[in-house]
Amino acid sequence: MKKLFLSTALLLVLGLSFTSCRDTKKAEDSIEEAVEATEEAVEDAADAIEDAVDDAGDAIEEAGDAASEAVDKAVNAADKTVDDAANAAKEKIKEAGGN
């Protein structure tokens, strides 16, 4: 942002230094054109920043969803493993008690 303002100031100074006093109408037109171009550049930069922020937000949301799904799958797998181990232990107890 700082570079943008410094660049704008530099353009304005250069625009003023290359115009003569007689060409005040042309100088005013040049300044107005420079200001308009700068405004357009600022608007374009703001739009680009807004798009980048939106994209980053979407990426964060997708990563959160993926992490949540991974945790759910891990919990389900752990539950199944515990259930399988408990069932296996019950079977071994029955086998040991049945002999």
Side-chain angles (χ1 to χ4, degrees), residues 46-77:
D47 290 343
I49 290 171
E50 184 178 345
D51 291 344
V53 168
D54 289 342
D55 291 345
D58 292 344
I60 290 170
E61 186 175 328
E62 289 174 10
D65 292 344
S68 176
E69 288 177 21
V71 168
D72 289 343
K73 287 180 181 179
V75 168
N76 290 338

Side-chain angles (χ1 to χ4, degrees), residues 10-11 14 19 23 29-32 36 38 44 61-62 66 80 90 92 96:
L10 179 64
L11 285 175
L14 286 174
T19 57
D23 295 334
D29 292 341
S30 296
I31 292 172
E32 288 176 13
E36 289 174 7
T38 302
D44 291 344
E61 186 175 328
E62 289 174 10
K80 185 177 183 320
K90 286 179 188 177
K92 290 294 180 180

Side-chain angles (χ1 to χ4, degrees), residues 76-92:
N76 290 338
D79 285 344
K80 185 177 183 320
T81 302
V82 169
D83 289 343
D84 290 346
N87 289 336
K90 286 179 188 177
E91 290 296 321
K92 290 294 180 180

